[in-house]
Coordinates of all heavy atoms in Angstrom, one line a residue:
M1 N 0.9 -1.2 0.0 CA 0.0 0.0 0.0 C 0.9 1.2 0.0 O 1.8 1.3 0.7 CB -0.9 0.0 1.2 CG -1.7 1.2 1.3 SD -2.7 1.3 2.9 CE -4.2 0.6 2.3
M2 N 0.6 2.2 -0.8 CA 1.3 3.4 -0.9 C 0.9 4.4 0.2 O -0.2 4.3 0.7 CB 1.0 4.1 -2.3 CG 1.5 3.3 -3.5 SD 3.3 3.3 -3.6 CE 3.6 5.0 -4.0
I3 N 1.9 5.3 0.5 CA 1.6 6.3 1.5 C 0.6 7.2 0.8 O 0.7 7.6 -0.3 CB 2.9 7.1 1.8 CG1 3.9 6.2 2.5 CG2 2.6 8.3 2.7 CD1 5.2 6.8 2.7
P4 N -0.5 7.6 1.6 CA -1.5 8.4 0.9 C -1.0 9.8 0.5 O -0.1 10.4 1.2 CB -2.6 8.6 2.0 CG -2.0 8.0 3.3 CD -0.8 7.3 2.9
C5 N -1.4 10.3 -0.6 CA -1.0 11.6 -1.1 C -2.1 12.6 -0.9 O -3.3 12.2 -0.6 CB -0.6 11.5 -2.5 SG 0.9 10.6 -2.8
F6 N -1.8 13.8 -1.1 CA -2.8 14.9 -1.0 C -2.5 15.9 -2.0 O -1.4 15.9 -2.6 CB -2.9 15.5 0.4 CG -1.6 16.2 0.8 CD1 -1.4 17.5 0.6 CD2 -0.5 15.4 1.3 CE1 -0.2 18.1 0.9 CE2 0.7 16.1 1.7 CZ 0.8 17.4 1.5
T7 N -3.5 16.8 -2.3 CA -3.2 17.8 -3.2 C -3.0 19.1 -2.4 O -3.6 19.3 -1.4 CB -4.4 18.0 -4.2 OG1 -5.6 18.3 -3.4 CG2 -4.6 16.8 -5.1
Y8 N -2.1 19.9 -3.0 CA -1.8 21.2 -2.3 C -1.4 22.2 -3.4 O -0.6 21.9 -4.2 CB -0.6 21.0 -1.3 CG -0.4 22.1 -0.4 CD1 -1.2 22.2 0.8 CD2 0.5 23.1 -0.6 CE1 -0.9 23.3 1.7 CE2 0.7 24.2 0.2 CZ 0.0 24.3 1.4 OH 0.2 25.3 2.2
D9 N -1.9 23.4 -3.3 CA -1.6 24.4 -4.3 C -0.3 25.1 -3.8 O -0.3 26.1 -3.1 CB -2.7 25.4 -4.4 CG -2.5 26.4 -5.5 OD1 -1.4 26.3 -6.2 OD2 -3.3 27.3 -5.6
F10 N 0.8 24.6 -4.3 CA 2.1 25.1 -3.9 C 2.4 26.5 -4.5 O 3.2 27.3 -4.0 CB 3.3 24.2 -4.3 CG 3.3 22.9 -3.5 CD1 2.7 21.8 -4.0 CD2 3.8 22.9 -2.3 CE1 2.7 20.6 -3.3 CE2 3.9 21.7 -1.5 CZ 3.3 20.6 -2.1
D11 N 1.7 26.9 -5.6 CA 1.9 28.1 -6.2 C 1.2 29.3 -5.6 O 1.5 30.5 -5.9 CB 1.5 28.0 -7.7 CG 2.4 27.0 -8.5 OD1 3.6 27.0 -8.2 OD2 1.9 26.3 -9.3
S12 N 0.2 29.0 -4.8 CA -0.6 30.1 -4.1 C 0.3 30.8 -3.1 O 0.9 30.2 -2.2 CB -1.8 29.5 -3.5 OG -2.5 30.5 -2.7
P13 N 0.3 32.1 -3.1 CA 1.1 32.9 -2.1 C 0.5 32.7 -0.7 O 1.2 33.1 0.3 CB 1.0 34.3 -2.6 CG -0.2 34.4 -3.5 CD -0.4 33.0 -4.1
H14 N -0.7 32.3 -0.6 CA -1.4 32.2 0.7 C -1.1 30.8 1.4 O -1.4 30.6 2.5 CB -2.9 32.3 0.6 CG -3.3 33.6 -0.1 ND1 -3.1 34.9 0.6 CD2 -3.8 34.0 -1.3 CE1 -3.5 35.8 -0.2 NE2 -3.9 35.3 -1.3
N15 N -0.5 29.9 0.6 CA -0.2 28.6 1.1 C 1.3 28.4 1.5 O 2.1 28.2 0.6 CB -0.6 27.5 0.1 CG -2.1 27.4 0.0 OD1 -2.9 27.8 0.8 ND2 -2.6 26.9 -1.2
R16 N 1.6 28.6 2.7 CA 3.0 28.5 3.1 C 3.1 27.2 3.9 O 2.3 26.9 4.8 CB 3.4 29.6 4.0 CG 3.3 31.0 3.4 CD 4.5 31.2 2.4 NE 4.4 32.5 1.8 CZ 4.5 32.7 0.6 NH1 4.7 31.8 -0.3 NH2 4.4 34.0 0.1
I17 N 4.1 26.4 3.6 CA 4.4 25.2 4.4 C 5.4 25.4 5.4 O 6.6 25.8 5.1 CB 4.8 24.0 3.4 CG1 3.7 23.8 2.4 CG2 5.1 22.8 4.2 CD1 4.1 22.8 1.3
S18 N 5.1 25.3 6.7 CA 6.0 25.5 7.7 C 6.7 24.2 8.2 O 6.2 23.1 7.8 CB 5.3 26.1 8.9 OG 4.4 25.1 9.5
E19 N 7.7 24.3 8.9 CA 8.4 23.1 9.4 C 7.4 22.3 10.3 O 7.5 21.1 10.3 CB 9.6 23.5 10.3 CG 10.8 24.1 9.4 CD 11.9 24.5 10.2 OE1 12.0 24.2 11.4 OE2 12.8 25.2 9.7
E20 N 6.6 23.1 11.1 CA 5.6 22.4 11.9 C 4.6 21.5 11.1 O 4.3 20.4 11.5 CB 4.9 23.4 12.8 CG 3.9 22.8 13.7 CD 3.2 23.8 14.6 OE1 3.7 25.0 14.7 OE2 2.1 23.5 15.1
M21 N 4.2 22.1 10.0 CA 3.3 21.3 9.1 C 3.9 20.0 8.6 O 3.3 19.0 8.6 CB 2.8 22.2 7.9 CG 1.8 23.2 8.3 SD 1.5 24.3 6.9 CE 0.6 23.2 5.8
V22 N 5.2 20.1 8.2 CA 5.9 19.0 7.7 C 6.1 17.9 8.9 O 5.9 16.7 8.7 CB 7.3 19.4 7.1 CG1 8.1 18.1 6.8 CG2 7.1 20.2 5.9
A23 N 6.5 18.4 10.0 CA 6.6 17.5 11.2 C 5.3 16.8 11.5 O 5.3 15.6 11.8 CB 7.2 18.3 12.4
Q24 N 4.2 17.6 11.5 CA 2.9 17.0 11.8 C 2.5 15.9 10.7 O 2.0 14.9 11.1 CB 1.8 18.0 11.9 CG 1.9 18.9 13.1 CD 0.9 20.0 13.1 OE1 0.2 20.3 12.1 NE2 0.7 20.7 14.2
A25 N 2.8 16.2 9.5 CA 2.5 15.3 8.4 C 3.3 14.0 8.6 O 2.8 12.9 8.4 CB 2.8 15.9 7.0
I26 N 4.6 14.1 8.9 CA 5.4 12.9 9.1 C 4.9 12.1 10.3 O 4.8 10.9 10.3 CB 6.9 13.3 9.3 CG1 7.5 13.8 8.0 CG2 7.7 12.1 9.8 CD1 8.8 14.4 8.0
A27 N 4.6 12.8 11.4 CA 4.0 12.2 12.6 C 2.7 11.4 12.3 O 2.5 10.3 12.7 CB 3.8 13.2 13.7
K28 N 1.9 12.0 11.4 CA 0.6 11.3 11.1 C 0.9 10.1 10.2 O 0.2 9.1 10.3 CB -0.3 12.3 10.4 CG -0.9 13.3 11.3 CD -1.9 14.3 10.6 CE -2.4 15.3 11.6 NZ -3.4 16.1 11.0
V29 N 1.8 10.2 9.3 CA 2.2 9.0 8.5 C 2.7 7.9 9.3 O 2.3 6.7 9.2 CB 3.2 9.4 7.4 CG1 3.8 8.2 6.7 CG2 2.5 10.3 6.3
V30 N 3.6 8.2 10.3 CA 4.1 7.2 11.2 C 3.0 6.6 12.0 O 2.9 5.3 12.2 CB 5.2 7.8 12.1 CG1 5.6 6.8 13.2 CG2 6.5 8.1 11.2
T31 N 2.1 7.4 12.6 CA 1.0 6.9 13.4 C 0.1 6.0 12.6 O -0.3 5.0 13.0 CB 0.3 8.1 14.0 OG1 1.2 8.9 14.8 CG2 -0.9 7.6 14.9
S32 N -0.2 6.5 11.4 CA -1.1 5.7 10.5 C -0.4 4.3 10.2 O -1.1 3.3 10.2 CB -1.3 6.5 9.2 OG -2.1 5.7 8.3
A33 N 0.9 4.3 9.9 CA 1.5 3.1 9.5 C 1.5 2.1 10.7 O 1.2 0.9 10.6 CB 3.0 3.4 9.1
R34 N 1.8 2.6 11.9 CA 1.7 1.8 13.1 C 0.3 1.3 13.3 O 0.1 0.1 13.6 CB 2.1 2.6 14.4 CG 3.6 2.8 14.5 CD 3.9 3.5 15.8 NE 5.3 3.6 16.0 CZ 6.1 2.7 16.6 NH1 5.6 1.6 17.1 NH2 7.4 2.9 16.8
Y35 N -0.7 2.1 13.2 CA -2.1 1.7 13.3 C -2.4 0.6 12.3 O -3.2 -0.4 12.7 CB -3.0 2.9 13.1 CG -4.5 2.6 13.2 CD1 -5.1 2.4 14.5 CD2 -5.3 2.4 12.1 CE1 -6.4 2.1 14.6 CE2 -6.6 2.1 12.2 CZ -7.2 1.9 13.5 OH -8.5 1.6 13.6
Q36 N -1.9 0.6 11.1 CA -2.1 -0.4 10.1 C -1.3 -1.6 10.3 O -1.4 -2.6 9.5 CB -1.8 0.2 8.7 CG -2.8 1.3 8.3 CD -2.3 2.0 7.0 OE1 -1.6 1.4 6.2 NE2 -2.8 3.2 6.8
G37 N -0.5 -1.7 11.4 CA 0.3 -2.8 11.7 C 1.6 -2.9 10.8 O 2.2 -4.0 10.8
K38 N 2.0 -1.8 10.2 CA 3.2 -1.9 9.4 C 4.5 -1.8 10.3 O 4.4 -1.2 11.4 CB 3.3 -0.7 8.4 CG 2.2 -0.8 7.4 CD 2.3 0.3 6.4 CE 1.2 0.2 5.3 NZ 1.2 1.3 4.4
S39 N 5.6 -2.3 9.9 CA 6.8 -2.2 10.6 C 7.5 -0.9 10.1 O 7.2 -0.4 9.0 CB 7.7 -3.4 10.4 OG 8.1 -3.5 9.0
L40 N 8.6 -0.5 10.8 CA 9.4 0.6 10.3 C 10.0 0.2 9.0 O 10.1 1.0 8.0 CB 10.5 0.9 11.3 CG 11.6 1.9 10.9 CD1 10.9 3.2 10.5 CD2 12.6 2.1 12.0
E41 N 10.4 -1.1 8.8 CA 11.0 -1.5 7.5 C 10.0 -1.4 6.4 O 10.4 -1.0 5.3 CB 11.5 -2.9 7.6 CG 12.7 -3.1 8.5 CD 12.4 -3.0 10.0 OE1 11.2 -3.2 10.4 OE2 13.3 -2.8 10.8
D42 N 8.7 -1.7 6.6 CA 7.7 -1.5 5.6 C 7.5 0.0 5.2 O 7.5 0.3 4.0 CB 6.3 -2.0 6.2 CG 6.2 -3.4 6.4 OD1 7.0 -4.2 5.8 OD2 5.4 -3.8 7.3
L43 N 7.5 0.8 6.2 CA 7.3 2.3 5.9 C 8.5 2.8 5.2 O 8.4 3.5 4.2 CB 7.1 3.0 7.2 CG 6.8 4.5 7.1 CD1 5.6 4.8 6.2 CD2 6.6 5.1 8.5
I44 N 9.7 2.4 5.6 CA 10.9 2.9 4.9 C 11.0 2.4 3.5 O 11.3 3.1 2.5 CB 12.2 2.5 5.7 CG1 12.3 3.2 7.0 CG2 13.5 2.8 4.8 CD1 12.2 4.7 7.0
A45 N 10.5 1.2 3.2 CA 10.5 0.7 1.9 C 9.5 1.5 1.0 O 9.8 1.8 -0.2 CB 10.0 -0.8 1.9
E46 N 8.4 2.0 1.6 CA 7.5 2.9 0.8 C 8.2 4.2 0.6 O 8.1 4.8 -0.5 CB 6.2 3.1 1.6 CG 5.4 1.8 1.7 CD 4.0 2.1 2.4 OE1 3.5 3.2 2.3 OE2 3.5 1.1 2.9
V47 N 8.9 4.8 1.5 CA 9.5 6.1 1.4 C 10.6 6.0 0.3 O 10.8 6.9 -0.5 CB 10.2 6.5 2.7 CG1 11.1 7.7 2.5 CG2 9.1 6.8 3.7
L48 N 11.3 4.9 0.2 CA 12.4 4.7 -0.7 C 12.0 4.3 -2.2 O 12.8 4.4 -3.1 CB 13.4 3.7 -0.2 CG 14.1 4.1 1.0 CD1 15.0 2.9 1.5 CD2 15.0 5.4 0.8
Q49 N 10.7 4.0 -2.4 CA 10.2 3.7 -3.7 C 10.3 4.9 -4.6 O 10.2 6.1 -4.2 CB 8.7 3.3 -3.7 CG 8.4 2.0 -3.1 CD 6.9 1.6 -3.1 OE1 6.1 2.5 -3.3 NE2 6.6 0.4 -2.7
D50 N 10.6 4.6 -5.9 CA 10.7 5.7 -6.9 C 9.4 6.5 -7.0 O 8.3 5.9 -6.9 CB 10.9 5.1 -8.3 CG 12.3 5.2 -8.7 OD1 13.1 5.9 -8.0 OD2 12.7 4.6 -9.8
D51 N 9.5 7.8 -7.1 CA 8.3 8.6 -7.3 C 8.7 9.9 -8.0 O 9.9 10.2 -8.1 CB 7.6 8.9 -5.9 CG 8.4 9.9 -5.1 OD1 8.7 11.0 -5.5 OD2 8.7 9.5 -3.9
P52 N 7.8 10.6 -8.6 CA 8.1 11.7 -9.4 C 8.5 13.0 -8.6 O 8.9 14.0 -9.2 CB 6.9 12.0 -10.3 CG 5.8 11.4 -9.5 CD 6.4 10.3 -8.7
I53 N 8.3 12.9 -7.3 CA 8.5 14.1 -6.5 C 9.9 14.3 -5.9 O 10.5 15.3 -6.0 CB 7.4 14.2 -5.3 CG1 6.0 14.3 -5.9 CG2 7.6 15.4 -4.4 CD1 4.9 14.1 -5.0
L54 N 10.4 13.2 -5.3 CA 11.7 13.2 -4.6 C 12.7 12.4 -5.4 O 12.4 11.4 -6.0 CB 11.6 12.6 -3.2 CG 10.6 13.3 -2.3 CD1 10.5 12.5 -1.0 CD2 11.0 14.7 -2.0
D55 N 13.9 12.9 -5.4 CA 15.0 12.2 -6.0 C 15.6 11.2 -5.0 O 15.2 11.2 -3.8 CB 16.1 13.1 -6.6 CG 16.8 13.9 -5.5 OD1 17.1 13.4 -4.4 OD2 17.2 15.1 -5.8
P56 N 16.5 10.3 -5.4 CA 17.0 9.2 -4.5 C 17.7 9.8 -3.2 O 17.5 9.3 -2.1 CB 18.0 8.5 -5.3 CG 17.5 8.6 -6.7 CD 16.9 10.0 -6.8
V57 N 18.4 10.9 -3.4 CA 19.1 11.5 -2.2 C 18.0 12.0 -1.2 O 18.1 11.9 0.0 CB 20.0 12.6 -2.7 CG1 20.6 13.4 -1.5 CG2 21.2 12.0 -3.5
Q58 N 17.0 12.7 -1.8 CA 15.9 13.2 -0.9 C 15.2 12.1 -0.2 O 14.8 12.2 1.0 CB 14.9 14.1 -1.7 CG 15.6 15.4 -2.2 CD 14.7 16.1 -3.2 OE1 14.1 15.4 -4.1 NE2 14.7 17.4 -3.2
R59 N 14.9 11.0 -0.9 CA 14.2 9.9 -0.3 C 15.1 9.2 0.8 O 14.5 8.9 1.8 CB 13.9 8.8 -1.4 CG 12.7 9.3 -2.3 CD 12.1 8.1 -3.1 NE 13.1 7.5 -4.0 CZ 13.4 7.9 -5.2 NH1 12.8 9.0 -5.7 NH2 14.2 7.3 -6.0
Q60 N 16.4 9.2 0.6 CA 17.3 8.7 1.7 C 17.2 9.6 2.9 O 17.1 9.1 4.0 CB 18.7 8.6 1.2 CG 19.0 7.3 0.4 CD 19.0 6.1 1.2 OE1 19.1 6.1 2.5 NE2 18.7 5.0 0.6
W61 N 17.3 10.9 2.7 CA 17.2 11.8 3.8 C 15.8 11.7 4.5 O 15.8 11.7 5.7 CB 17.4 13.2 3.2 CG 17.2 14.3 4.2 CD1 18.1 14.8 5.1 CD2 16.0 15.1 4.4 NE1 17.6 15.8 5.9 CE2 16.3 16.0 5.5 CE3 14.7 15.1 3.9 CZ2 15.4 16.9 6.0 CZ3 13.8 16.0 4.4 CH2 14.1 16.9 5.4
L62 N 14.8 11.6 3.7 CA 13.4 11.5 4.3 C 13.3 10.2 5.1 O 12.7 10.1 6.2 CB 12.3 11.5 3.3 CG 10.9 11.4 3.8 CD1 10.6 12.5 4.8 CD2 9.9 11.5 2.6
S63 N 13.9 9.1 4.6 CA 13.9 7.8 5.4 C 14.5 7.9 6.7 O 14.1 7.3 7.7 CB 14.5 6.7 4.6 OG 15.9 6.8 4.5
K64 N 15.6 8.7 6.8 CA 16.3 8.9 8.1 C 15.4 9.7 9.1 O 15.3 9.4 10.3 CB 17.6 9.6 7.9 CG 18.6 8.8 7.2 CD 19.9 9.5 7.0 CE 20.8 8.6 6.2 NZ 22.1 9.3 5.8
I65 N 14.7 10.7 8.5 CA 13.8 11.5 9.3 C 12.6 10.7 9.8 O 12.2 10.8 11.0 CB 13.2 12.8 8.5 CG1 14.4 13.7 8.1 CG2 12.2 13.5 9.3 CD1 15.2 14.3 9.2
V66 N 12.1 9.9 8.9 CA 10.9 9.0 9.3 C 11.4 8.0 10.4 O 10.6 7.7 11.3 CB 10.4 8.2 8.0 CG1 9.5 7.1 8.4 CG2 9.7 9.2 7.1
T67 N 12.6 7.5 10.3 CA 13.1 6.6 11.3 C 13.2 7.3 12.6 O 12.8 6.7 13.7 CB 14.5 6.0 10.9 OG1 14.4 5.3 9.7 CG2 15.1 5.1 12.0
Q68 N 13.7 8.5 12.7 CA 13.7 9.3 13.9 C 12.3 9.5 14.5 O 12.1 9.3 15.7 CB 14.4 10.6 13.7 CG 15.9 10.5 13.5 CD 16.5 11.9 13.2 OE1 15.8 12.9 13.0 NE2 17.8 12.0 13.2
A69 N 11.4 9.8 13.6 CA 10.0 10.0 14.0 C 9.4 8.7 14.5 O 8.7 8.7 15.5 CB 9.1 10.5 12.8
W70 N 9.7 7.6 13.9 CA 9.2 6.3 14.4 C 9.7 6.0 15.8 O 8.9 5.6 16.6 CB 9.7 5.2 13.4 CG 9.2 3.9 13.8 CD1 9.7 3.0 14.7 CD2 8.1 3.2 13.2 NE1 8.9 1.8 14.7 CE2 7.9 1.9 13.8 CE3 7.2 3.5 12.1 CZ2 7.0 1.0 13.4 CZ3 6.2 2.6 11.8 CH2 6.1 1.4 12.4
N71 N 11.0 6.3 16.0 CA 11.5 6.1 17.3 C 11.0 7.0 18.4 O 11.1 6.7 19.6 CB 13.1 6.1 17.2 CG 13.7 5.0 16.4 OD1 13.1 3.9 16.3 ND2 14.8 5.3 15.8
M72 N 10.5 8.1 18.0 CA 9.9 9.1 18.9 C 8.4 9.0 19.0 O 7.7 9.8 19.7 CB 10.3 10.5 18.5 CG 11.8 10.7 18.6 SD 12.3 12.4 18.0 CE 11.3 13.4 19.0
S73 N 7.8 8.1 18.2 CA 6.3 8.2 18.0 C 5.5 8.0 19.3 O 4.3 8.5 19.3 CB 5.9 7.1 17.0 OG 6.2 5.8 17.5
S74 N 6.0 7.5 20.3 CA 5.2 7.4 21.6 C 5.0 8.8 22.2 O 4.1 9.0 23.0 CB 5.9 6.5 22.6 OG 7.2 7.1 22.9
Q75 N 5.7 9.8 21.7 CA 5.6 11.1 22.2 C 4.6 12.0 21.4 O 4.3 13.1 21.7 CB 7.0 11.8 22.2 CG 8.0 11.2 23.0 CD 9.4 11.7 22.8 OE1 9.5 12.9 22.4 NE2 10.4 11.0 23.1
F76 N 4.1 11.4 20.3 CA 3.2 12.2 19.4 C 1.9 12.5 20.0 O 1.3 11.6 20.6 CB 3.0 11.5 18.1 CG 4.2 11.3 17.2 CD1 4.2 10.4 16.2 CD2 5.3 12.1 17.3 CE1 5.3 10.2 15.3 CE2 6.4 12.0 16.5 CZ 6.4 11.0 15.5
T77 N 1.4 13.7 19.8 CA 0.0 14.0 20.2 C -0.5 14.6 18.9 O -0.1 15.7 18.4 CB 0.0 15.1 21.3 OG1 0.6 14.5 22.4 CG2 -1.5 15.4 21.6
I78 N -1.4 13.9 18.3 CA -1.9 14.4 17.0 C -3.4 14.9 17.1 O -4.2 14.2 17.6 CB -1.9 13.2 16.0 CG1 -0.4 12.8 15.9 CG2 -2.5 13.6 14.6 CD1 0.0 12.0 14.7
G79 N -3.5 16.1 16.7 CA -4.9 16.7 16.7 C -5.5 16.6 15.3 O -4.9 16.2 14.4
N80 N -6.7 17.0 15.2 CA -7.4 16.9 14.0 C -7.1 18.1 13.1 O -7.0 19.2 13.4 CB -8.9 16.8 14.2 CG -9.3 15.4 14.8 OD1 -8.5 14.5 14.7 ND2 -10.4 15.4 15.5

């Protein structure tokens, strides 16, 4: 199963992506993966899959961030 995607108008001057938004998104992906019974290895395999958005170096970097988030996931408080 692929990580769910969303649409976002990156060109709009009113839509700014903050570090906090990125951190919350990663936390939600980790929480969702755990809820679905996936392992960290399963999630990393999804992150490392080829896609048109990230290049291989970016996917490696993201996999390290996701691993850190996974290891800290007991500390997550996710709001709606």
